């Protein structure tokens, strides 16, 4: 099951292509309007539900009738905290939308809760959102540059690390975070460990994303040097092997407003270039979709086509 | 409506152009044409579909199809001497084909093939026998065909065994049967001879942050081969040039010059020797440049709107035509079907390949490998034309700062100038100076990095892009349409100050392009000069960090004293502008009469105390100048070096006849000050004198005195290194010693900048005394403009060679 997906395209996508029709469907989502409307403003719309996607007839109906150039989709699969609509990703503050996948090792850390009036909730997730907002120079700014969002993201990770360190937490934290202001998307695949793989994160880019075979088998195609569509997901959303690239552990990716995907290594004491990381930790936590699993998908996908 | 910012002249409709290439043939492909290559016999096409069609060059008939890839073919590269065609694909493999037998030879997999993603770009080095691959995972990888690595035979790979590690260096990996084994419907296709793997040590991870869209090789016999790469992260790498105009989609290299086609529709011209950006060609604003090809000194650019354009060595556009319905994605230049002419091949997402006959190769091109005997671009002969072409555009923007309805024109002039400086190789930006005020244009040309770590001298050039108004009365031609007559260019601003600004900019650009710029030149061009430079001082102080350290200030904002002898200005008077108002007048006032006496001497107490005495040398100078100008020496000295007082206007309310005493009297008074009068002291004593005189009149009225604006005097340093360098530059260019002159007028920014940056200012007038600045028929001699540019080049060369004159 897909835990999260990000879509950014030069033209808006019908939500159903992303969220309900592919085999991997997800339920909680936030999206920006495809046409700016002064009255509606520039903040995204959020849809959350505690029931499974395949049970939600209203979601299916809505997804057929809404188009958006930038969508965050999220499935809440953890059991930590209470299961209520207030705790469902994605979170919104003004123009900003945030979600994450993974888990913060708690120990006895007291995480900052200053922005509780912004984000209602009582799990670690909201606290990360809070600290992210705290670290932005101006969370209410009208625009953010890719650089400001990148630095805020790195500062947030660094501050969570130092909080954990100060509290003597030794267990690594999985920090796959995503934030967008509607123009730029910044996402991380990160773990506070130099020995383990982070929760998985993949991306795909191309010019069109369409149903290649019946039954929700989607394919990305490439008819230009440039990218019109960039997707980031916790696991591949289509069956085409070549469509998806794994983002390296401890890397920050940026989808720029001009549709360039940048992959920037996060350099800190947990970066271990060249080292082989173990997959057990993330797998144990249920956050790894390794290549092996994908390969089996891939061959079945091909046999379907031939 | 502002003119188009491009400084590239559209020559393609004129005689200078050799015409638009003739379309010889069109080839139909099934899907978007992403890449092209050609051998002597064939044309190869990489497209969104997986197979590579092969056309016969003679007949343009489809000859064959190279079958094997399972993803779009994103790049093709031809190695002539090996008869290899390399194809890079979205299936994360490079396939190598024989161009004689049209059969597969090898399949090359990148290191961590599944992690490398799409393979976007290829470059073949003949001398190193190495293929370079640019990947989606931001790595650059290469495979050396000279190396000891033993390719694994197809048979052993097919059997699914573990591959032998070449030279024992790479990690053993499982062959990817899925990619390699032919699909059932393709079983007829011949299998490749062997499977090759790129070893771990032939990988540069994170070579960029973005996808590596394009690469090119620099063949350098001394230093070996250098690889240049361009990426979605907005960098061209080799020396990490930042091109902050968007992703780099295409690259061509000629000698030590790299042309980078960018996302925003420009081409950056980078000089690798000096590590500088020498020019930024605006191809089409906002329309991505996706492919480029070069032959001799002609650059062909392919844009996302279907246009192909040709640019000459002087960066002029010499051809422009609609080549495809849609996006032009790829291009190459190759021999035509007979070897006597060259063809440009372009491929688009309209599923077509077009063959264009290039009619005018000035000389036979280098054999398709990129190792060529190319000539140095003839930049020199055209820069003057760029100067006048640019000036005609600049003049056409009516940037009249004192007229609020021209506010938008002023803004357009600032934007235009910024883009102009960027095209000439500067980094430029607009600096806001306050609500309702025209922004400053800041442009920095970075000189060549000196080998020694000695800091480069930095020269600040100050000028203004705003002009005085130009009512059409008295003009022989439209003031905002530059016209050339009898050796003069006419138009508002040609001499004050747009012409000199562009002459200096073109001089710097020329030095940059010829690797001769040894200084940084910072352009600081304001838009409020004709309105008293409001806000200038505060803005400069605020943005001082952006401007940086400055060693000398250069200004070119006045004219010679006569027609035929070049001059250098070394002094300006200062000024105190004062407004007086007497409301509710009940009696006539004679206040103004108290300002001067019968001998026209200013009666303000202490006014003359600090006026510097004339030296004998100065007296001799005035005598000499008097013979040249035909004006008495006393008139020169009183205008340049003596203070004066002027009553500009007396405005009275009510019916302006003598029988009625007016209700309010307003008047404007100004005092010109000279060395060593103190600006503040004079301003205060002027006010005090007026108030005291008013009291003495025992008038029942009130007096309002308001000092509206002030400017300090300025006197240059005649003995310093900079002045001497400028003087000798003028001497060399004009073949005569320049006259040292002063001005009776004021430029407040000059003394201000000297004080702020703690260095000396230099003032080089370019035009002649008959230039009519601020008057109808403003003009500048073309000769003066061009020689002015040359003087600046000589001056900057001298100060660049000598380094920072800290000792002087």
């Amino acid at each position: 099951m897909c835990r999260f997906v990000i879509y950014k395209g030069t033209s808006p996508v019908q939500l159903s292509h992303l969220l309900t029709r592919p085999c991997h469907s997800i339920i909680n989502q936030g999206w920006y309007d495809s046409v700016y409307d002064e009255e509606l403003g520039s903040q995204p719309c959020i849809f959350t539900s505690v029931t499974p996607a395949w049970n939600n007839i209203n979601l299916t109906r809505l997804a057929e009738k809404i188009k958006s150039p930038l969508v965050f989709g999220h499935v809440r699969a953890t059991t930590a905290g209470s299961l209520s609509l207030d705790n469902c990703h994605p979170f919104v503050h003004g123009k900003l939308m945030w979600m994450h996948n993974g888990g913060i090792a708690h120990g006895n850390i007291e995480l900052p809760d200053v922005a509780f009036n912004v984000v209602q909730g009582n799990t670690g997730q909201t606290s990360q959102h809070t600290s992210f907002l705290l670290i932005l120079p101006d969370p209410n700014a009208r625009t953010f540059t890719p650089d400001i969002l990148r630095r805020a993201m790195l500062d947030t990770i660094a501050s969570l690390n130092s909080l954990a360190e100060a509290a003597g937490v030794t267990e690594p934290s999985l920090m796959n975070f995503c934030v967008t202001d509607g123009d730029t998307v910044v996402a991380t695949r990160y773990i506070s460990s130099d020995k383990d793989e982070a929760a998985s994160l993949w991306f795909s880019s191309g010019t069109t994303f369409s149903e290649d075979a019946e039954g929700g088998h989607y394919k990305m195609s490439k008819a230009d040097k440039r990218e019109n569509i960039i997707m980031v997901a916790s696991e591949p959303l289509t069956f085409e092997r070549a469509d998806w690239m794994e983002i390296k552990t401890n890397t920050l990716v940026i989808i720029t407003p001009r549709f360039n995907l940048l992959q920037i290594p996060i350099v800190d004491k947990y970066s271990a270039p060249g080292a082989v990381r173990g997959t057990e930790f993330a797998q144990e936590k249920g956050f790894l979709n390794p290549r092996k699993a994908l390969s089996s998908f891939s061959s079945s996908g091909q046999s379907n086509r031939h | 409506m502002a003119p188009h910012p491009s400084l590239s002249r559209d020559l393609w409709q004129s005689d200078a152009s050799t015409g638009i290439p003739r379309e010889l043939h069109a080839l139909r492909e099934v899907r978007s044409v992403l890449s092209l290559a050609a051998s002597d016999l064939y044309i190869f096409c990489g497209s969104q579909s997986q197979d590579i069609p092969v056309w016969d060059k003679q007949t343009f008939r489809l000859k064959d199809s190279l079958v094997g890839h399972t993803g779009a073919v994103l790049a093709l590269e031809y190695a002539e001497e090996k008869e290899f065609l390399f194809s890079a694909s979205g299936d994360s493999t490079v396939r190598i084909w024989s161009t004689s037998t049209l059969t597969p030879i090898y399949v090359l997999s990148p290191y961590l093939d599944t992690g490398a993603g799409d393979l976007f770009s290829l470059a073949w080095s003949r001398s190193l026998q190495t293929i370079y691959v640019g990947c989606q995972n931001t790595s650059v990888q290469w495979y050396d065909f000279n190396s000891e690595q033993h390719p694994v035979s197809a048979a052993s790979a097919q059997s699914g065994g573990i591959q032998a590690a070449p030279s024992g260096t790479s990690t053993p990996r499982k062959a990817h049967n899925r990619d390699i084994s032919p699909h059932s419907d393709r079983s007829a296709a011949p299998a490749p001879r062997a499977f090759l793997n790129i070893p771990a040590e032939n990988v540069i991870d994170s070579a960029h942050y973005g996808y590596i869209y394009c690469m090119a090789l620099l063949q350098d016999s001394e230093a070996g081969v250098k690889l240049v790469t361009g990426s979605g992260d907005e960098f061209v790498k080799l020396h990490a040039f930042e091109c902050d105009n968007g992703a780099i989609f295409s690259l061509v290299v000629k000698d030590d010059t790299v042309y980078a086609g960018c996302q925003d529709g420009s081409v950056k011209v980078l000089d690798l020797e000096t590590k500088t950006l020498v020019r930024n060609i605006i191809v089409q604003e906002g329309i991505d440049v996706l492919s480029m090809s070069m032959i001799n000194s002609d650059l062909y650019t392919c844009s996302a709107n279907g246009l192909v354009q040709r640019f000459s060595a002087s960066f002029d556009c010499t051809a422009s035509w609609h080549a495809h319905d849609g996006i032009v994605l790829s291009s190459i230049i190759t021999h035509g079907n007979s070897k006597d002419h060259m063809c440009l091949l372009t491929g688009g997402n309209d599923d077509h390949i077009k063959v264009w006959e290039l009619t005018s190769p000035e000389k036979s091109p280098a054999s398709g490998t990129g190792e060529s005997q190319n000539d140095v671009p003839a930049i020199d002969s055209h820069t003057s034309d760029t100067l006048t072409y640019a000036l005609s555009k600049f003049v056409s923007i009516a940037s009249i700062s004192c007229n609020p309805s021209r506010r938008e024109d002023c803004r357009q002039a600032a934007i235009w100038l910024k883009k102009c400086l960027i095209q000439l190789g500067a980094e430029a930006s607009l600096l806001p100076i306050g609500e309702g005020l025209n922004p400053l244009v800041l442009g920095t040309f970075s000189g060549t990095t000196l080998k020694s770590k000695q800091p480069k001298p930095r020269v600040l050039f100050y000028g203004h892009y705003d002009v005085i108004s130009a009512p059409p009365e008295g003009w022989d031609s439209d003031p905002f349409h530059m016209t050339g007559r009898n050796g003069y260019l006419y138009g508002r601003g040609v001499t004050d100050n747009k012409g000199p600004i562009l002459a200096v900019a073109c001089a710097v650009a020329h030095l940059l392009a010829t690797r001769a710029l040894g200084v940084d030149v910072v352009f600081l061009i304001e838009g409020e000069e004709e309105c008293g430079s409001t806000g200038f001082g505060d803005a400069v102080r605020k943005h001082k960090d952006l401007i940086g350290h400055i060693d000398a200030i250069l200004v070119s904002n006045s004219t010679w004293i006569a027609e035929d002898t070049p001059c250098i200005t070394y002094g300006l008077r200062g000024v105190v502008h004062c407004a007086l108002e007497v409301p509710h007048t009940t009696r006539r006032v004679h206040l103004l009469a108290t300002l001067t006496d019968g001998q026209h001497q200013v009666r303000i107490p202490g006014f003359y105390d600090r006026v510097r005495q004339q030296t004998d040398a100065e007296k001799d100078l005035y005598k000499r100048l008097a013979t040249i100008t035909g004006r008495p020496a006393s008139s020169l000295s009183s205008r340049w070096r003596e203070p004066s007082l002027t009553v500009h206007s007396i405005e009275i309310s009510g019916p302006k006849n003598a029988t009625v005493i007016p209700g309010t009297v307003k008047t404007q008074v100004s005092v010109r000050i000279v060395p060593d009068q103190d600006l503040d002291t004079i301003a205060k004593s002027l006010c005090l004198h007026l108030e005291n005189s008013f009291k003495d009149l025992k008038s029942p009225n009130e007096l309002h005195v308001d000092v509206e604006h002030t400017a300090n005097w300025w006197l240059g340093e005649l003995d310093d290194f900079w002045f001497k360098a400028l003087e000798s530059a003028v001497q060399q260019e004009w073949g005569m010693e320049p006259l040292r002159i002063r001005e009776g007028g004021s430029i407040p920014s000059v003394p201000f900048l000297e004080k702020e940056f703690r260095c000396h200012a230099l003032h080089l007038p370019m035009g002649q005394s008959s230039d009519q600045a601020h008057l109808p028929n403003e003009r500048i001699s073309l000769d003066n403009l061009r020689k002015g540019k040359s003087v600046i080049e000589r001056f900057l060369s001298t100060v660049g060679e000598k380094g920072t004159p800290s000792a002087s």
Side-chain angles (χ1 to χ4, degrees):
Chain A
M1 171 176 287
C2 183
R3 292 203 172 75
F4 70 47
V5 62
I6 298 165
Y7 170 97
K8 180 164 158 63
T10 48
S11 31
V13 68
Q14 199 177 332
L15 294 188
S16 61
H17 288 304
L18 207 58
L19 307 171
T20 50
R21 284 203 223 161
C23 303
H24 311 288
S25 72
I26 54 174
I27 185 147
N28 297 328
Q29 57 219 259
W31 66 90
Y32 291 86
D33 297 326
S34 51
V35 180
Y36 175 73
D37 183 302
E38 205 173 333
E39 207 175 339
L40 295 180
S42 54
Q43 74 281 11
C45 179
I46 301 292
F47 179 99
T48 55
S49 170
V50 290
T51 59
W54 53 86
N55 263 352
N56 198 322
I57 185 67
N58 285 325
L59 172 62
T60 311
R61 288 173 184 147
L62 282 172
E64 293 289 333
K65 297 298 287 180
I66 295 169
K67 281 182 136 187
S68 167
L70 175 45
V71 184
F72 272 23
H74 192 272
V75 168
R76 193 174 183 283
T78 67
T79 49
S82 69
L83 190 63
S84 82
L85 287 178
D86 292 340
N87 283 331
C88 286
H89 293 222
F91 299 124
V92 170
H93 179 90
K95 276 184 81 174
L96 294 168
M97 180 156 65
W98 164 278
M99 63 181 178
H100 88 264
N101 189 28
I104 303 292
H106 275 272
N108 298 316
I109 314 175
E110 281 193 30
L111 288 163
D113 58 0
V114 174
F116 257 44
N117 55 343
V118 178
V119 182
Q120 293 289 312
N122 59 0
T123 72
Q125 293 168 350
T126 40
S127 297
Q128 281 134 36
H129 189 199
T130 301
S131 56
F132 183 81
L133 288 173
L134 285 177
I135 292 162
L136 266 175
D138 175 11
N140 300 315
R142 277 167 58 203
T143 54
F144 301 90
T145 65
D147 201 46
I148 285 176
L149 291 178
R150 178 180 66 86
R151 266 186 264 165
M153 188 66 105
L154 294 175
D155 288 351
T156 300
I157 287 176
S159 77
L160 286 170
N161 279 343
S162 57
L163 281 172
E165 224 168 277
V169 176
T170 49
E171 187 184 293
S173 291
L174 293 162
M175 299 190 222
N176 287 16
F177 296 156
C178 314
V179 72
T180 181
D181 63 346
D183 296 312
T184 302
V185 177
V186 174
T188 57
R189 182 182 185 200
Y190 184 85
I191 184 166
S192 54
S193 157
D194 57 358
K195 295 184 181 61
D196 302 294
E197 286 284 6
S200 55
L201 194 64
W202 299 74
F203 75 91
S204 179
S205 66
T207 46
T208 48
F209 178 69
S210 54
E211 203 163 351
D212 188 47
E214 283 294 311
H217 293 245
Y218 277 73
K219 184 176 173 1
M220 187 75 91
S221 64
K222 194 149 178 61
D224 194 342
K225 272 189 178 178
R226 303 162 296 174
E227 320 301 330
N228 294 330
I229 294 167
I230 299 177
M231 290 164 70
V232 175
S234 54
E235 69 190 64
L237 206 69
T238 70
F239 291 122
E240 278 297 311
R241 167 183 174 269
D243 281 356
W244 289 90
M245 291 257 310
E246 192 168 5
I247 294 163
K248 289 190 187 110
T249 284
N250 287 14
T251 299
L252 176 143
V253 297
I254 302 175
I255 306 174
T256 70
R258 290 196 276 201
F259 286 87
N260 292 305
L261 185 123
L262 310 182
Q263 302 159 63
I264 305 173
I266 299 173
V267 180
D268 61 14
K269 66 177 184 174
Y270 299 118
S271 43
V276 179
R277 288 168 179 269
T279 54
E280 294 79 12
F281 181 77
Q283 210 145 23
E284 196 178 288
K285 297 265 170 188
F287 286 115
L288 200 74
N289 295 287
R291 191 176 302 284
K292 245 185 262 166
L294 177 67
S295 298
S296 64
F297 275 137
S298 185
S299 22
S300 70
Q302 289 213 339
S303 62
N304 280 348
R305 288 196 300 126
H306 291 284
Chain B
M1 181 68 191
H4 193 274
S6 174
L7 297 186
S8 302
R9 289 176 298 162
D10 276 331
L11 296 181
W12 54 281
Q13 287 157 319
S14 72
D15 296 341
S17 156
T18 50
I20 291 166
R22 190 165 65 92
E23 183 179 335
L24 273 184
H25 217 89
L27 303 170
R28 184 72 205 275
E29 227 294 302
V30 274
R31 310 282 285 273
S32 271
V33 178
L34 292 163
S35 53
L36 287 166
S39 67
D40 279 356
L41 298 175
Y42 304 119
I43 295 165
F44 305 95
C45 161
S47 78
Q48 198 186 345
S49 58
Q50 306 157 350
D51 303 340
I52 301 168
V54 183
W55 284 275
D56 188 309
K57 247 190 193 176
Q58 293 285 338
T59 62
F60 292 121
R61 287 235 173 113
L62 187 67
K63 160 95 181 165
D64 208 339
S65 206
L66 306 179
V67 177
H69 280 298
T70 57
V73 178
L74 302 169
L76 291 172
E77 177 82 345
Y78 174 52
E80 188 184 24
E81 77 286 2
K82 287 188 92 84
E83 296 193 320
F84 276 4
L85 176 75
F86 296 90
S87 57
S89 166
D91 67 12
S92 215
T93 64
V94 174
R95 286 183 175 249
I96 298 128
W97 317 82
S98 161
T99 58
S100 52
T101 62
L102 302 180
T103 51
I105 307 175
Y106 301 119
V107 174
L108 176 65
S109 295
Y111 180 68
L112 283 182
D113 58 341
T114 45
D118 296 350
L119 307 182
F120 280 102
S121 49
L122 288 170
W124 168 253
S125 166
R126 181 182 199 154
S127 53
L128 297 181
Q129 293 286 296
T130 297
I131 187 80
Y132 296 86
V133 188
C135 309
Q136 190 179 19
N137 76 341
T138 71
S139 70
V140 169
Q141 312 197 2
W142 61 93
Y143 188 86
D144 181 355
F145 282 83
N146 279 327
S147 74
E148 299 288 300
Q149 296 161 2
H150 301 292
V152 178
S153 78
S156 76
Q158 293 289 55
S159 69
I162 300 294
Q163 293 189 11
S167 324
T169 48
S170 73
T171 318
R173 289 181 306 118
K174 200 168 184 294
H176 289 275
N177 292 337
R178 193 180 53 254
D179 280 348
I180 291 155
S181 45
H183 292 282
S184 51
D185 56 334
R186 298 175 172 214
S187 50
R193 267 195 261 151
F195 296 86
L196 314 174
N197 294 289
I198 292 179
E201 66 269 22
N202 288 6
V203 176
I204 300 172
D205 275 320
S206 297
H208 282 269
Y209 290 155
Y211 303 172
I212 298 173
Y213 282 122
C214 49
M215 51 185 16
L217 287 168
L218 283 160
Q219 305 286 347
D220 185 335
S221 50
E222 283 166 36
V225 175
K226 293 176 188 167
L227 182 71
V228 191
T229 53
S231 162
D233 64 5
E234 317 196 349
F235 274 84
V236 171
K237 279 209 180 167
L238 181 74
H239 299 291
F241 287 112
E242 188 172 6
C243 295
D244 53 359
N245 287 78
I248 317 299
F249 287 126
S250 46
L251 278 173
V252 289
V253 166
K254 185 183 162 170
D255 302 327
D256 269 350
T257 307
V258 174
Y259 299 80
C262 302
Q263 193 166 28
D264 72 335
S266 63
V267 173
K268 308 272 174 185
V269 185
L270 311 162
D271 182 55
L272 292 180
E273 179 67 29
T274 55
K275 304 183 182 106
T276 45
L277 186 147
V278 296
R279 184 68 181 236
N280 182 15
I281 306 170
I282 295 181
V283 177
Q284 293 169 73
E285 280 196 302
I287 297 168
D288 303 352
V289 177
L290 293 174
S291 182
M292 293 189 295
S293 291
M294 195 163 194
I295 182 167
N296 299 324
S297 53
D298 281 340
L299 176 74
Y300 290 87
T301 59
C302 302
S303 298
N305 62 352
L307 272 190
V308 174
Q309 282 162 282
R310 181 176 63 215
F311 290 86
S312 67
S314 57
F315 311 118
D316 289 313
C317 181
T318 58
S320 175
W321 74 98
H322 192 79
H324 289 270
D325 293 327
I327 307 165
V328 194
L329 287 163
S330 49
S331 65
I332 53 161
I333 286 173
T334 180
H335 286 285
N337 43 21
S338 61
K339 282 226 166 183
D340 60 351
H341 71 272
M342 301 302 290
C343 287
L344 171 73
L345 270 57
T346 56
N349 75 338
D350 61 352
D351 312 336
H352 274 87
I353 299 165
K354 301 266 180 88
V355 184
W356 310 92
E357 184 179 32
L358 303 182
T359 46
S360 64
E362 287 134 34
K363 55 182 86 167
S364 68
S367 58
T369 57
E371 286 151 315
S372 57
Q373 75 301 351
N374 291 309
D375 44 336
V376 175
I379 294 161
D380 204 89
S381 60
H382 285 285
T383 36
S384 313
D385 292 317
T386 300
L387 172 55
T388 51
Y389 182 63
L391 184 55
S392 70
K393 290 192 165 201
F394 202 9
V395 165
S396 75
I397 314 172
S399 49
I400 305 162
S401 54
C402 294
N403 182 345
S405 70
R406 293 293 187 174
R407 175 82 44 216
E408 178 58 18
D409 294 84
C410 291
R411 199 177 70 88
Q412 290 298 335
I415 293 168
W416 184 90
L417 181 62
K418 179 189 87 171
K419 289 181 178 174
C420 167
L421 294 176
I422 289 172
Q423 286 176 82
L424 293 174
E427 274 181 42
S429 56
L430 298 185
L431 307 179
I433 63 171
E435 196 74 22
L437 294 171
N438 298 316
L440 281 174
V441 179
L442 176 69
T444 306
F445 289 89
S446 297
T448 306
T449 313
L450 296 167
K451 290 213 172 86
S452 61
K453 294 281 176 180
Q454 197 184 9
K456 283 168 286 179
R458 289 171 62 83
V459 176
L460 183 142
F461 176 72
Y462 163 80
H464 63 93
Y465 63 80
D466 62 323
V467 295
I468 205 92
S469 67
E473 297 81 33
W475 285 82
D476 295 333
S477 54
D478 180 348
F480 298 106
H481 181 87
M482 193 177 88
T483 317
R485 289 194 299 272
N486 303 326
Y488 285 89
L489 301 172
Y490 289 83
R492 175 57 85 220
V494 287
T495 191
D496 181 18
N497 183 229
K498 291 177 173 176
I501 291 171
L502 293 183
V504 176
C506 287
V508 177
H510 185 223
L511 292 174
L512 194 63
T514 52
R515 302 176 181 172
L517 185 66
V519 293
D520 289 350
V521 184
V522 181
F523 277 68
L524 190 61
I525 312 295
E526 67 157 314
E528 294 284 343
E529 200 263 4
E530 303 292 7
C531 292
S533 296
T534 317
F536 179 75
D538 290 342
V540 169
R541 278 190 210 104
K542 187 175 162 197
H543 297 293
K544 222 166 160 185
D545 287 350
L546 284 175
I547 297 165
H549 171 80
I550 296 297
D551 295 297
I553 294 150
L554 181 65
V555 182
S556 180
N557 197 9
S558 66
T559 54
W560 296 353
I561 193 167
E563 290 298 281
D564 303 316
T565 320
C567 302
I568 296 183
T569 306
Y570 72 95
L572 296 165
R573 291 197 294 184
V575 72
V576 177
H577 274 286
C578 197
L580 307 182
E581 189 180 345
V582 183
H584 321 301
T585 323
T586 53
R587 266 168 52 186
R588 282 175 186 258
V589 287
H590 301 276
L591 180 62
L592 296 174
T594 67
L595 286 166
T596 50
D597 64 14
Q599 280 75 49
H600 302 291
Q601 292 289 298
V602 178
R603 280 173 52 187
I604 300 168
F607 188 70
Y608 292 98
D609 289 359
R610 294 189 59 187
V611 175
R612 201 182 285 185
Q613 292 301 304
Q614 263 193 53
T615 62
D616 289 343
E618 218 182 320
K619 278 178 192 153
D620 289 346
L621 177 68
Y622 295 141
K623 269 185 214 153
R624 220 176 105 220
L625 290 172
T627 57
I628 290 164
T629 58
R631 283 194 262 167
S634 61
S635 102
L636 290 176
S637 69
S638 67
R639 214 163 72 92
W640 290 354
R641 58 126 38 247
E642 303 295 339
S644 67
L645 185 142
T646 312
V647 177
H648 295 272
S649 63
I650 301 175
E651 199 183 302
I652 53 179
S653 63
K656 294 173 177 59
N657 69 50
T659 60
V660 180
I661 296 169
T664 305
V665 180
K666 284 182 189 167
T667 181
Q668 290 277 339
V669 174
S670 78
V671 174
R672 295 277 170 180
I673 59 164
V674 297
D676 298 308
Q677 286 176 306
D678 182 68
L679 176 64
D680 291 339
T681 312
I682 296 291
K684 274 184 202 134
S685 49
L686 171 66
C687 296
L688 193 68
H689 176 73
L690 287 166
E691 278 154 14
N692 288 342
S693 307
F694 194 74
K695 272 185 214 149
D696 293 347
L697 291 172
K698 303 215 163 37
S699 160
N701 304 326
E702 286 173 58
L703 170 73
H704 297 164
V705 184
D706 182 23
V707 176
E708 287 185 320
H709 76 262
T710 62
N712 218 333
W713 51 264
W714 169 72
L715 202 58
E717 191 60 57
L718 298 177
D719 289 326
D720 88 340
F721 161 84
W722 298 93
F723 187 85
K724 285 180 179 156
L726 185 60
E727 205 164 47
S728 78
V730 177
Q731 160 107 43
Q732 283 165 25
E733 182 61 33
W734 288 90
M736 62 180 104
E737 204 181 320
L739 299 171
R740 295 174 173 185
I741 60 167
R742 285 163 73 165
E743 280 280 331
S746 310
I747 307 176
S749 303
V750 174
F752 164 78
L753 288 169
E754 272 198 334
K755 197 175 156 204
E756 205 58 38
F757 290 99
R758 295 159 196 247
C759 62
H760 294 144
L762 301 157
H763 194 166
L764 176 77
M766 276 193 198
Q768 298 156 300
S769 59
S770 61
D771 274 1
Q772 309 250 82
H774 288 213
L775 298 172
N777 289 326
E778 177 178 346
R779 66 179 192 175
I780 191 166
S781 145
L782 200 50
D783 194 38
N784 277 50
L785 193 65
R786 289 183 177 157
K787 284 208 165 85
K789 168 178 168 273
S790 299
V791 168
I792 298 294
E793 280 180 37
R794 288 173 189 274
F795 165 70
L796 292 176
S797 297
T798 307
V799 299
E801 276 162 25
K802 300 232 170 115
T804 308
S806 44
S808 73

